[in-house]
Structure formats: C-alpha cells, structure tokens
Amino acid sequence: MIAHYRKLIVAIGVVAVTAGVATAQTPTNEPAWMAASQLTAKFEAQGYSVREISRDDGHYDVDVTDKNNVRSDMHVDRATGEPLARSAAHNGSNGSHDNNDDDH
C-alpha cells in the first residue's frame, strides 16, 4: 500500500514540475524592451541629447534636445528604438511650443 502512495506522489510531482517548466517556457507575443542605456546611446549617436526616457503604453517616450536646442518628445518602438511619432517640438530655452508646424 505504501508503494502505491509513493508512485502516486512521484507521478503528481512529475506532472507539477512538467507543467511549471512548460509555463515558464511559453513565449509571449510582446517584444522585449531595449535597454534604456542602448536607447540613450542610439539617440546620442544621432546628435541628440537625451533628457528623459520613460515607458508608456507599450512604447518608450524619449524626451530629447537636438543640436539647435530644439526639444522633442518621441514615441519610440520598445524593441528597435526607432521613432514611431513625434509630438510638437519645444524651444529648449524657454519651453514654448514651436507653432510653425503645418499639421495643426
């Protein structure tokens, strides 16, 4: 009788471990986040100064200043670091909006 319980306990343990391994190895459809340090290096190589990086709704928000001190907030792909869209540019000296955009 004790041998029967031992087999049952071993079988339950094998099932539990197998299920745990299968769950841990299940891939997600979400791409990995690029490291913030890599993202900073990428933008600095393009001539930007990175002011702030934050994660928002599945992408990065990157606040940068270009060589002319024009500030931009970019939505950036979390895996590739490529810009998705740009919001309105800001004048870095006084924070005012650049209203010369034709798409307003």
Side-chain angles (χ1 to χ4, degrees), residues 39-51 62-72 74 86:
L39 194 57
T40 298
K42 182 173 186 155
F43 278 93
E44 287 177 348
Q46 296 173 18
Y48 292 100
S49 176
V50 177
R51 300 170 54 90
V62 183
D63 186 8
V64 297
T65 304
D66 68 11
K67 64 182 178 180
N68 297 319
N69 206 30
V70 175
R71 188 172 163 186
S72 298
M74 297 186 198
R86 281 188 199 213

Side-chain angles (χ1 to χ4, degrees), residues 69-89:
N69 206 30
V70 175
R71 188 172 163 186
S72 298
D73 181 31
M74 297 186 198
H75 295 197
V76 177
D77 183 274
R78 69 199 242 174
T80 66
E82 293 299 316
L84 300 172
R86 281 188 199 213
S87 65

